[in-house]
């Protein structure tokens, strides 16, 4: 019985195992089949779309949000990468007004608040909005608008102009005259080496740039009286062209037109004594442009959506590569030890890190979220705790160890170079703030001019030593510049803290003003409601009076008809009366004749 029970259990387990395996294979088969059917469906859909491509137009809609998201992060020149914006696939026979309703559903912007601009490629290889669509174009099909051809299909590129109120909800568009031009604005911060999109304005071409300075300061978040400098971004292929804008000339005088880009910055940053690598817009754009081997590489980067590392990162990568190469050479030819100076530097760095540990590490998005949630609380937190930025593109030089020359350098090195390089402790002199004027390269050239007197190994060591000394000089200069930047950053931090305090007070004042205005607004709303009720009553009274007027008008018309009939009867009576009067006159005449005859007969009866 036990063996039979065991066999029975084994048979049951085996059957269960194969049943589960069969079920698993069945599930896998269904999943593979569904995957294959889905892939076939997608391929068939692509084939169908490709076959029907001539019936559709791909419309790419660019918004202010796209410009703000891309400029200074994905791109620096022009306005937008069209491959990264929302696209719509629309039949060419579809009315453009119908398409506007689809845009309204997608973006939550009512059609009546939308104004679309066509893009155009200029002769200088830039691509800008050129003119708004007309009412006739919007009433017609989308297929009548001229698209842009690319490798796959035709696409229509549009810029969507939307105005927003204080609550960021869409409002009625600003009225645009035929002559008004649309300008786009970028803001440059030299200290942060940051370029970003801040907005656009419709301007009268006969006006002057000086007339919009207050508005630009408002877009930038500056004081209304802040002095700023404006540049026009003209082109970047084959080289950057960015020229100052004459604020005393008109927009026409500056040859500005629809779609032009104006970059502006604080004028104080240009003449400041602070150590700023790229103090103005042209120098910064030139530097960004030089980060690519040629203009074609920039266009390739935009087309392929490659992540762009900021200029400071590119420079840092080059420096790190150079330093790594020098360290490899030194490691191969010399034995460099970490001395007390390096250890002290490390202690200083660790101490610096400890002092800044109380700061709150935030990126720009988190900072914006803090401000949006409660600006007052954000300011108080920053003033009490401090704040640092966590930027992926930020390159830190902390922790780098400056190579030190081994004092026990073999005696094979030439005495002349030894005296110049090591007779005095150059590192100590640099540390004390002194700057010995020693031309290491001249010594190197002098040795190389007598190459026959030295072995190849000696010449190689000479190159190593000279490169090392030059690197030391370069690193001390770099450290000195970094210290200056640190002092500048501290001063800027103090200034920003003061600015935060002032801004906090302004926000409190604005909140009080906002509360008072809200109370006044509520009162006006109540009065408006009363006026609306009275207006509705007056409308009802007007309707009743209009009905009474209609009735009286009908009655007057009837009475007019009655008067006409009476006039006609009166006229007939007058004619009849005239006839009767004539008959009476004749009867009286005849009666008088009869009376005379009667008196004659009475006086002398005939019988």
């Amino acid at each position: 019985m036990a063996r039979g029970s065991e066999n029975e259990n084994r048979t049951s387990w085996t059957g269960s195992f194969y049943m589960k395996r069969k079920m698993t294979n069945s599930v896998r088969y269904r999943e593979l089949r569904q995957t294959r059917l889905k892939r076939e469906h997608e391929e068939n859909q692509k084939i169908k779309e490709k076959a029907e491509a001539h019936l559709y137009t791909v419309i790419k809609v660019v918004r202010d949000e796209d410009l703000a998201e891309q400029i200074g992060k994905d791109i620096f020149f022009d306005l937008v990468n069209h491959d990264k914006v929302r696209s719509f696939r629309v039949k060419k026979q579809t009315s453009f007004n119908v398409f506007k309703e689809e845009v309204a559903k997608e973006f939550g912007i009512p059609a009546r608040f939308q104004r679309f601009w066509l893009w155009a490629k200029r002769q200088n290889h830039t691509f800008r909005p050129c003119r708004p669509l007309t009412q006739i174009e919007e009433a017609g099909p989308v297929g009548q608008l001229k698209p842009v051809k690319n490798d796959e299909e035709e696409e229509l590129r549009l810029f969507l102009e939307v105005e927003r109120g204080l609550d960021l909800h869409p409002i009625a568009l600003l009225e645009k005259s035929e002559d008004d031009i649309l300008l786009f604005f970028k803001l440059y911060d030299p200290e942060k080496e940051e370029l970003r999109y801040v907005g656009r304005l419709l301007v009268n071409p006969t006006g002057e740039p000086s007339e919009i300075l207050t508005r630009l300061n408002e877009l930038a978040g500056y004081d209304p009286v802040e002095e700023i400098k404006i540049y026009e971004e003209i082109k970047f292929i084959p080289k950057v062209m960015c020229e100052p804008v004459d604020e005393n000339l008109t927009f026409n005088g500056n040859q500005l037109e629809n779609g032009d880009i104006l970059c502006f910055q604080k004028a104080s940053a240009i003449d400041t004594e602070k150590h700023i690598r790229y103090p103005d817009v042209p120098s910064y754009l030139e530097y960004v442009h030089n980060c690519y081997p040629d203009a074609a590489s920039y266009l390739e980067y935009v087309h392929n959506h490659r992540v762009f590392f900021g200029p400071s990162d590119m420079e840092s990568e080059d420096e790190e590569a150079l330093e790594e190469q020098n360290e490899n050479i030194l490691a191969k030819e010399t034995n460099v030890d970490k001395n007390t100076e390096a250890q002290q530097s490390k202690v200083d760095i660790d101490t610096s890190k400890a002092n800044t540990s109380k700061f709150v590490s935030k990126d720009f998005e988190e900072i914006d979220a803090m401000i949006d949630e409660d600006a007052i609380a954000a300011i108080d937190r920053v003033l009490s705790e401090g704040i640092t930025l966590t930027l992926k593109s930020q390159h830190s030089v902390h922790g780098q160890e400056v190579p030190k020359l081994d004092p026990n350098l073999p005696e094979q090195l030439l005495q002349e170079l030894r005296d110049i390089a090591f007779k005095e402790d150059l590192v100590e002199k640099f540390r004390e703030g002194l700057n010995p004027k020693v031309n290491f390269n001249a010594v190197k050239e002098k040795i190389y001019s007598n190459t026959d007197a030295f072995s190849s190994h000696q010449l190689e060591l000479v190159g190593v030593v000279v490169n090392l000394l030059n690197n030391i000089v370069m690193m001390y200069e770099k450290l000195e510049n970094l210290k200056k930047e640190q002092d500048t950053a501290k001063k800027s931090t103090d200034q920003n803290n003061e600015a935060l305090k002032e801004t906090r007070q302004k926000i409190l004042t604005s909140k009080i003003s906002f509360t008072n205005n809200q109370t006044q607004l509520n009162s006006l709303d109540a009065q408006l409601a009363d006026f609306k009720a009275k207006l509705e009553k007056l409308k009802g009274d007007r309707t009743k009076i209009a009905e009474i007027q209609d009735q009286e008008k009908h009655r007057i018309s009837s009475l007019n008809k009655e008067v006409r009939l009476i006039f006609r009867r009166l006229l007939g009576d007058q004619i009849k009366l005239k006839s009767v009067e004539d008959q009476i006159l004749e009867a009286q005449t005849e009666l008088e004749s009869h009376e005379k005859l009667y008196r004659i007969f009475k006086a002398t009866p005939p019988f």
Side-chain angles (χ1 to χ4, degrees):
M1 290 295 293
R3 181 175 295 178
S5 177
E6 182 179 352
N7 292 335
E8 183 179 351
N9 291 335
R10 183 179 299 172
T11 302
S12 176
W13 177 85
T14 304
S16 176
F17 170 76
Y18 282 109
M19 181 63 69
K20 291 180 180 179
R21 183 175 180 180
K22 183 177 181 181
M23 292 176 64
T24 302
N25 291 338
S26 178
V27 171
R28 290 179 178 174
Y29 172 76
R30 285 198 301 269
E31 291 177 350
L32 290 174
R33 187 170 181 271
Q34 290 175 357
T35 302
R36 184 174 66 253
L37 291 175
K38 182 179 180 181
R39 187 184 303 113
E40 291 177 354
H41 176 73
E42 292 176 350
E43 291 177 355
N44 292 335
Q45 186 66 24
K46 290 181 180 179
I47 294 173
K48 181 181 179 182
E49 290 180 356
K50 188 173 182 180
E52 296 178 350
H54 65 285
L55 301 176
Y56 290 84
T57 295
V58 174
I59 303 179
K60 293 193 173 181
V61 178
V62 178
R63 300 177 296 155
D64 284 307
E65 291 83 348
D66 298 311
L67 306 186
E69 181 179 354
Q70 294 189 27
I71 293 175
K73 300 174 184 177
D74 293 339
I75 65 172
F76 291 84
F77 304 104
D78 255 354
L79 292 174
V80 73
N81 178 1
H82 285 85
D83 292 333
K84 292 186 178 182
V85 302
R86 178 69 170 87
S87 63
F88 301 81
R89 192 168 183 264
V90 185
K91 284 189 175 181
K92 292 184 177 181
Q93 297 303 318
T94 303
S95 169
F96 193 87
N97 284 325
V98 173
F99 166 70
K100 290 176 68 174
E101 296 297 334
E102 185 176 350
V103 173
K105 294 179 183 178
E106 176 69 19
F107 298 134
I109 302 170
R112 65 182 184 279
F113 295 151
Q114 302 173 14
R115 180 155 58 207
F116 286 92
W117 291 69
L118 287 171
W119 292 72
K121 187 173 183 180
R122 299 180 176 179
Q123 293 181 352
N124 60 7
H125 302 287
T126 59
F127 204 61
R128 310 282 178 81
C130 61
R131 67 171 180 85
L133 293 180
T134 65
Q135 292 183 353
I136 296 177
E137 288 173 328
E138 292 189 353
V142 298
Q144 73 176 358
L145 300 173
K146 186 178 180 181
V148 177
K149 294 183 179 180
N150 59 19
D151 296 337
E152 298 180 357
E153 55 188 351
E154 294 181 344
E155 62 184 34
L156 178 63
R157 298 177 180 178
L158 300 173
F159 173 73
L160 174 56
E161 179 188 359
V162 178
E163 291 297 328
R164 298 184 182 274
L166 296 176
D167 57 358
L168 299 182
H169 285 86
I171 59 176
L173 289 163
L174 298 176
E175 184 177 354
K176 179 188 179 302
S177 69
E178 185 177 355
D179 296 329
D180 287 346
I181 56 178
L182 181 66
L183 301 177
F184 295 85
F185 295 90
K186 298 178 183 178
L187 175 65
Y188 175 55
D189 187 335
E191 294 185 2
K192 297 180 180 179
E193 294 182 14
E194 176 185 82
L195 186 70
R196 62 186 178 93
Y197 174 72
V198 292
R200 53 180 163 71
L201 293 176
L202 278 173
V203 300
N204 189 316
T206 60
E208 297 179 358
S210 58
E211 299 172 0
I212 63 170
L213 297 183
T214 302
R215 183 73 178 100
L216 294 183
N217 279 324
E218 180 181 348
L219 292 176
Y222 297 156
D223 290 335
V225 296
E226 180 70 44
E227 185 179 355
I228 59 177
K229 184 68 175 177
I230 307 176
Y231 302 85
E232 181 190 0
E233 179 189 319
I234 301 174
K235 67 175 183 177
F236 60 95
I237 297 177
K239 63 179 181 179
V240 174
M241 181 178 291
C242 186
E243 302 293 341
V245 172
D246 192 334
E247 298 176 6
N248 297 320
L249 293 179
T250 64
F251 291 104
N252 271 340
N254 283 286
Q255 298 181 351
L256 297 176
E257 58 183 344
N258 281 327
D260 280 344
I261 302 173
L262 298 185
C263 305
F264 67 99
Q265 65 178 98
K266 287 184 178 181
S268 58
I270 301 176
D271 301 326
T272 184
E273 296 180 356
K274 300 178 181 179
H275 179 71
I276 297 178
R277 296 196 304 174
Y278 312 107
D280 55 21
V281 175
S283 62
Y284 178 72
L285 292 181
E286 187 69 32
Y287 183 74
V288 173
H289 190 271
N290 290 338
C291 289
Y292 301 93
D294 51 36
S297 63
Y298 180 80
L299 294 179
E300 181 183 359
Y301 138 71
V302 173
H303 179 71
N304 294 333
H305 326 294
R306 291 200 297 248
V307 177
F308 177 74
F309 296 93
S312 59
D313 293 306
M314 292 189 137
E315 182 185 63
S316 300
E317 291 177 359
D318 293 339
E319 291 176 357
E320 290 173 357
L322 178 60
E323 291 173 7
E324 182 179 358
Q325 181 180 1
N326 291 333
E327 289 176 1
N328 291 337
I329 295 175
L330 290 172
K332 181 178 178 181
E333 300 294 341
T334 63
N335 181 19
V336 181
D337 297 328
K338 296 181 179 179
N339 54 20
T340 306
E341 181 181 0
Q343 295 176 359
Q344 183 62 38
S345 299
K346 187 175 186 302
V347 171
D348 294 340
I349 292 171
D350 293 338
T351 304
S352 176
K353 289 183 178 179
N355 292 334
T356 59
S357 62
K358 69 175 184 178
F359 290 106
V360 182
S361 181
K362 297 286 184 182
D363 60 19
F364 284 114
E365 294 181 358
E366 292 174 322
I367 293 173
D368 291 341
M370 288 171 55
I371 296 173
D372 292 339
E373 182 178 355
D374 189 344
I376 295 296
I379 292 174
D380 292 341
R381 185 177 181 185
V382 170
L383 292 176
S384 62
E385 301 178 6
I387 192 165
T388 59
L389 294 178
T390 58
L391 298 178
K392 294 181 180 180
S393 62
Q394 187 175 6
H395 176 70
S396 175
V397 297
H398 294 307
Q400 290 183 351
E401 298 179 357
V402 181
K404 301 297 185 299
L405 194 60
D406 184 1
N408 298 321
L409 187 66
E411 290 298 323
Q412 291 91 331
L413 294 177
L414 301 178
Q415 185 63 42
E416 182 180 1
L417 183 60
R418 184 186 298 113
D419 291 342
I420 295 176
F422 308 113
K423 188 174 183 179
E424 295 181 347
D425 193 340
L426 295 181
V427 173
E428 187 62 31
K429 287 187 175 293
F430 281 122
R431 181 176 295 280
E432 294 173 357
L434 301 177
N435 186 13
K437 301 295 182 180
V438 181
N439 192 338
F440 306 113
N441 293 319
V443 178
K444 176 182 176 181
E445 293 299 327
K446 181 179 178 181
I447 295 175
Y448 280 7
S449 64
N450 300 287
T451 56
D452 296 338
F454 308 101
S455 66
S456 60
H457 181 67
Q458 288 175 327
L459 293 175
E460 187 174 3
L461 289 177
V462 167
V464 170
V465 171
V466 172
N467 287 339
L468 172 63
L469 295 175
N470 282 328
N471 285 337
I472 291 175
V473 173
M474 180 185 69
M475 292 308 299
Y476 269 101
E477 290 178 351
K478 185 174 182 179
L479 286 173
E480 188 66 26
N481 292 333
L482 288 174
K483 289 179 181 178
K484 292 180 180 179
E485 290 183 6
Q486 185 182 27
D487 294 339
T488 299
K490 288 181 179 179
K491 292 180 182 178
S492 178
T493 300
D494 294 339
Q495 294 174 356
N496 289 332
N497 286 337
E498 292 299 322
L500 280 176
K501 293 178 182 178
E502 295 178 1
T503 305
R504 184 181 187 278
Q505 186 60 40
K506 291 179 182 179
I507 293 176
L508 289 174
T509 304
S510 297
K511 283 189 173 182
I512 296 173
S513 176
F514 179 81
T515 303
N516 295 335
N517 290 333
Q518 186 64 42
T519 302
Q520 186 177 0
L521 182 62
N522 294 336
S523 176
L524 292 175
D525 288 339
Q527 295 180 22
L528 183 60
D530 293 338
F531 288 148
K532 286 183 178 179
K534 292 179 181 179
L535 180 60
E536 291 298 326
K537 185 177 181 303
L538 291 175
K539 287 182 178 179
D541 294 342
R542 185 182 183 283
T543 302
K544 292 180 181 179
I545 293 174
E547 292 176 354
I548 295 174
Q549 282 183 329
D550 291 338
Q551 295 174 359
E552 292 298 331
K553 184 177 180 180
H554 185 270
R555 184 178 301 173
I556 291 173
S557 178
S558 300
L559 291 174
N560 287 340
K561 292 180 181 179
E562 186 175 351
V563 169
R564 290 190 187 94
L565 293 175
I566 295 174
F567 278 168
R568 290 174 183 173
R569 289 200 302 270
L570 182 60
L571 182 59
D573 291 342
Q574 287 179 349
I575 294 173
K576 185 175 181 181
L577 179 60
K578 178 65 173 169
S579 176
V580 171
E581 287 177 349
D582 292 341
Q583 291 178 8
I584 291 175
L585 184 58
E586 291 178 357
Q588 287 178 346
T589 302
E590 186 176 356
L591 178 59
E592 289 176 358
S593 176
H594 289 321
E595 286 179 352
K596 288 181 181 180
L597 183 58
Y598 172 77
R599 291 188 183 93
I600 292 174
F601 284 161
K602 182 179 179 181
T604 57
F607 49 81

